[in-house]
Amino acid sequence: MRTIFVINPVAGNGNSMKKWLKFKETIPFHFELAVSRHSGHAIELVKELHKSPEPVLVVGFGGDGTLREVIAGAAGAPQLIVGSIAAGSGNDFGRGFHSFSDAAEIAAFLVNPESSPKDLGEFIDGVPQHFVSSSGIGFDAEISVKVNRSKVKQWLNRIGMGGLVYLIYVIITLLRFRLFGLTVEVDGETVHYDKVWFATVNNQPYFGGGMKISPHSIADDGILELTVVNRLSRLKLLLVFGTVFSGKHLGFKEVHQLHGKKFSLTADRAVYRHVDGDSAGRTPDNGSVPYKVSEKEWHSVNK
């Protein structure tokens, strides 16, 4: 089986390249290397592999954003099997899907390559955008934007504590965030929420560096989960966030979860949006955005 590593050299604030230079010395099999040079480049690199007549193991070497691009590029090509080596800061992909621990594990996989099809989330706001784990609007998205701009994140990544930065910015954003109204259409039903903190569409359970926001999400069931949090005081929201790592937040009456193949979200003001932890601009002002399971599957290395 042909094997190619797709590297994002700036993932983890540059730590991914340092990790790669050590990792490549342990690889006991023939491999190819593709380096992502800019946002969206990994999609282009992987789409070129659609021409391959033989199966290809595509290993994303980076963080959640890198894997999102690799999978968006691989979607619709069953001969492309996606695996990963975690080299970012949040690394939620590796919590919901298989992530190789070392080169020896990849070598063992190549002897007995087992994979399975997985869902890919999609929303359309002008152009289609894809997500592997989650896409959210509101409080969590604003946190993601601020985290990715933060010098604190760079420092914490250097000492191996990158995930802690999310908790820091939860507290900072908590003091300043302005609540919004949200209208949700799901499978023909319309639901209105006021005083909303955030709404997150999930394909797998994790987001935000290990928070189990949607514990019942399954990545191959053709269904997405929408989690909406509203009507919480700032102090109680902090309490709720303390339970997200265990998934117990669903017990709060202010936490709502809907299931469906398609959602339409309409916020009453423009709010921040993220895809797999990366900024995706803002929602349209009073405009609806459709979310759905993409028609194109991708193939994952089996856990």
Side-chain angles (χ1 to χ4, degrees):
M1 175 180 281
R2 184 180 172 192
T3 303
I4 182 168
F5 290 88
V6 179
I7 310 290
N8 179 359
V10 300
N13 292 305
N15 286 334
S16 62
M17 182 53 72
K18 296 177 183 177
K19 185 172 182 177
W20 167 251
L21 293 175
K22 294 179 180 178
F23 183 89
K24 72 175 184 177
E25 299 301 323
T26 68
I27 299 175
F29 50 84
H30 176 74
F31 67 90
E32 301 168 55
L33 178 65
V35 180
S36 174
R37 299 297 184 186
H38 54 78
S39 177
H41 191 203
I43 298 176
E44 300 169 10
L45 293 171
V46 177
K47 279 188 174 180
E48 285 295 315
L49 300 173
H50 284 227
K51 304 171 185 176
S52 176
E54 63 179 304
V56 183
L57 173 63
V58 185
V59 182
F61 201 103
D64 294 329
T66 304
L67 268 297
R68 181 186 71 254
E69 290 194 6
V70 167
I71 289 165
Q79 79 274 26
L80 304 184
I81 301 172
V82 178
S84 77
I85 293 290
S89 51
N91 297 319
D92 286 312
F93 178 88
R95 295 181 175 92
F97 305 98
H98 185 71
S99 186
F100 292 116
S101 58
D102 52 36
E105 188 181 356
I106 298 176
F109 171 82
L110 294 173
V111 174
N112 184 27
E114 295 185 3
S115 65
S116 56
K118 303 294 182 184
D119 297 331
L120 179 63
E122 175 182 298
F123 71 85
I124 299 177
D125 186 4
V127 296
Q129 297 198 49
H130 295 98
F131 59 95
V132 179
S133 298
S134 68
S135 177
I137 66 172
F139 182 68
D140 63 321
E142 190 164 325
I143 292 169
S144 294
V145 171
K146 291 180 178 179
V147 163
N148 289 331
R149 295 174 180 172
S150 171
K151 293 182 179 179
V152 175
K153 178 183 178 182
Q154 298 174 22
W155 179 75
L156 287 172
N157 277 337
R158 284 198 294 270
I159 63 174
M161 298 179 66
L164 183 60
V165 72
Y166 288 93
L167 293 179
I168 294 172
Y169 275 91
V170 164
I171 297 171
I172 293 173
T173 309
L174 182 70
L175 300 174
R176 302 176 180 177
F177 187 75
R178 184 162 60 94
L179 304 180
F180 62 99
L182 179 69
T183 299
V184 177
E185 294 180 28
V186 51
D187 296 341
E189 181 180 354
T190 301
V191 187
H192 301 280
Y193 299 97
D194 63 352
K195 299 180 181 178
V196 174
W197 283 96
F198 65 87
T200 303
V201 181
N202 273 79
N203 184 41
Q204 61 107 325
Y206 298 96
F207 89 143
M211 297 183 186
K212 204 171 184 179
I213 185 67
S214 186
H216 305 304
S217 287
I218 301 172
D220 59 1
D221 61 355
I223 299 292
L224 296 172
E225 281 68 39
L226 170 68
T227 305
V228 180
V229 177
N230 76 327
R231 290 183 165 267
L232 278 173
S233 68
R234 295 178 193 273
L235 183 59
K236 191 171 183 180
L237 180 68
L238 197 57
L239 173 64
V240 169
F241 260 94
T243 68
V244 173
F245 288 95
S246 65
K248 294 182 179 179
H249 61 290
L250 295 182
F252 289 88
K253 67 180 186 299
E254 299 91 348
V255 179
H256 317 273
Q257 192 162 79
L258 305 174
H259 312 263
K261 294 183 178 181
K262 296 180 180 180
F263 294 98
S264 180
L265 306 185
T266 306
D268 65 358
R269 68 176 179 87
V271 292
Y272 281 109
R273 174 174 55 205
H274 78 81
V275 286
D276 292 326
D278 286 342
S279 175
R282 295 177 186 253
T283 63
D285 193 2
N286 281 307
S288 63
V289 177
Y291 287 76
K292 68 174 185 176
V293 176
S294 173
E295 296 176 358
K296 295 181 178 180
E297 295 178 323
W298 63 282
H299 284 70
S300 170
V301 168
N302 283 349
K303 280 193 173 186

